[in-house]
Every structure is written in structure tokens, then in C-alpha cells.
């Protein structure tokens, strides 16, 4: 990722930090999961997977992130891998102070995702886009997101 993109992304997140500090939280959940398995179709070794995950909704938008730590367990291998994603969505209604509700669209969001793999085949992916919240009878949440992937 070039410096210009990194600076723009950093400024967007920095602008959202004061709102996050004063945010009204509508829901949140955090979990830590430990899994152990063997005889996988794509992994020959026994494997341990630890996942740390968080999701929360706020008056300014949503935040989801997780980190997986995978470790192969065998006599011939001790491979380790770390993979994670960070996905914030910032409400334009909240940021502008005006409702953007039009017809079945309840709100419009700036959306982004950062994906990384810190070991093995290392990579960083950046996704930029927007999201829509829809007013669909019988559903609490119907959302769509559109991204441009920069990898």
C-alpha cells in the first residue's frame, strides 16, 4: 500500500476516534475460541486454532474484527500462521448529522476491511467501499456492502 492510501485511511480512522469515544453502544460481543482437530481434508497434521473475535454496533456504525492463530501439531511439523481482519463501517447519517433515509434505504456507510496474514504466505489486503442498511419488513438487519479490493 502506498503512503497516500495509508495516510488517507489513517486520517479516516483518526476522524472517527472522537465519535467512537463518545459512542452509544447498541450491541457487542467478544469471544475467545480454542479448537483442536485432526484428519482435515486440506491439512495433514493435527491442528490447533485459537480465534479472538469482536463485533459491536454503535450509533456511529459497526466494528468487526478477528484474529486466528493456527498451529499444526505433528512430529514432523510445528507450522504456525496468524490471520486477521478488521472491518469498520461508519454511518454517513451520524457523521453528517442528517438522516440519509430514502425509500427502503435506512442509512449509507463508508466501509473498509483490512485483511492480513502475518506468517506463511504473508499478505495485506485493503478493501474500500460503501454499505447500505435496508428497511425490510420482518427483518431487524438487512445490509449490503460493495468493495474495491486493493491487494
Amino acid at each position: 500500500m502506498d503512503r497516500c492510501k495509508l495516510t488517507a485511511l489513517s486520517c479516516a480512522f483518526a476522524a472517527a476516534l472522537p465519535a467512537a469515544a463518545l459512542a452509544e453502544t447498541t450491541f457487542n460481543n467478544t469471544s475467545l475460541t480454542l479448537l483442536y482437530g485432526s484428519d482435515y481434508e486440506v491439512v495433514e497434521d493435527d491442528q490447533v486454532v485459537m480465534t479472538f473475535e469482536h463485533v459491536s454496533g454503535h450509533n456511529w456504525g459497526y466494528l468487526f474484527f478477528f484474529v486466528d492463530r493456527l498451529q499444526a501439531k505433528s512430529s514432523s511439523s510445528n507450522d504456525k500462521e496468524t490471520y486477521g481482519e478488521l472491518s469498520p463501517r461508519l454511518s454517513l447519517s451520524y457523521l453528517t448529522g442528517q438522516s440519509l433515509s430514502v425509500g427502503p434505504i435506512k442509512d449509507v456507510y463508508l466501509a473498509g476491511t483490512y485483511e492480513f496474514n502475518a506468517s506463511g504466505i504473508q499478505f495485506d489486503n485493503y478493501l474500500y467501499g460503501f454499505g447500505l442498511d435496508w428497511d425490510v419488513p420482518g427483518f431487524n438487519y438487512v445490509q449490503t456492502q460493495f468493495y474495491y479490493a486493493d491487494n
Side-chain angles (χ1 to χ4, degrees):
M1 175 180 230
D2 64 26
R3 285 191 182 272
C4 183
K5 289 179 186 176
L6 184 59
T7 301
L9 188 60
S10 299
C11 289
F13 285 118
L17 287 178
L22 302 172
E24 174 187 326
T25 300
T26 55
F27 68 89
N28 72 70
N29 190 18
T30 303
S31 67
L32 180 63
T33 306
L34 183 63
L35 302 171
Y36 174 82
S38 58
D39 297 326
Y40 291 103
E41 187 173 323
V42 294
V43 179
E44 294 179 13
D45 298 327
D46 293 352
Q47 188 163 333
V48 176
V49 180
M50 183 174 65
T51 301
F52 178 73
E53 183 174 36
H54 173 81
V55 63
S56 55
H58 308 272
N59 55 343
W60 55 263
Y62 302 92
L63 177 64
F64 171 75
F65 71 85
F66 76 91
V67 176
D68 281 341
R69 178 67 172 175
L70 296 85
Q71 185 167 346
K73 295 287 189 183
S74 76
S75 58
S76 64
S77 172
N78 197 16
D79 292 337
K80 298 176 184 174
E81 183 177 340
T82 302
Y83 174 81
E85 293 183 12
L86 171 66
S87 296
R89 294 177 69 211
L90 302 173
S91 165
L92 290 180
S93 292
Y94 180 81
L95 292 174
T96 63
Q98 299 177 0
S99 173
L100 299 177
S101 180
V102 177
I105 297 174
K106 293 193 297 188
D107 204 350
V108 179
Y109 291 84
L110 295 176
T113 296
Y114 168 60
E115 304 173 340
F116 68 91
N117 193 30
S119 48
I121 300 173
Q122 297 183 8
F123 63 83
D124 291 306
N125 292 326
Y126 303 89
L127 290 83
Y128 314 98
F130 68 95
L132 301 171
D133 273 4
W134 298 89
D135 187 10
V136 177
F139 291 88
N140 290 331
Y141 300 99
V142 175
Q143 303 170 334
T144 54
Q145 297 180 97
F146 302 92
Y147 289 107
Y148 167 77
D150 181 7
N151 53 6

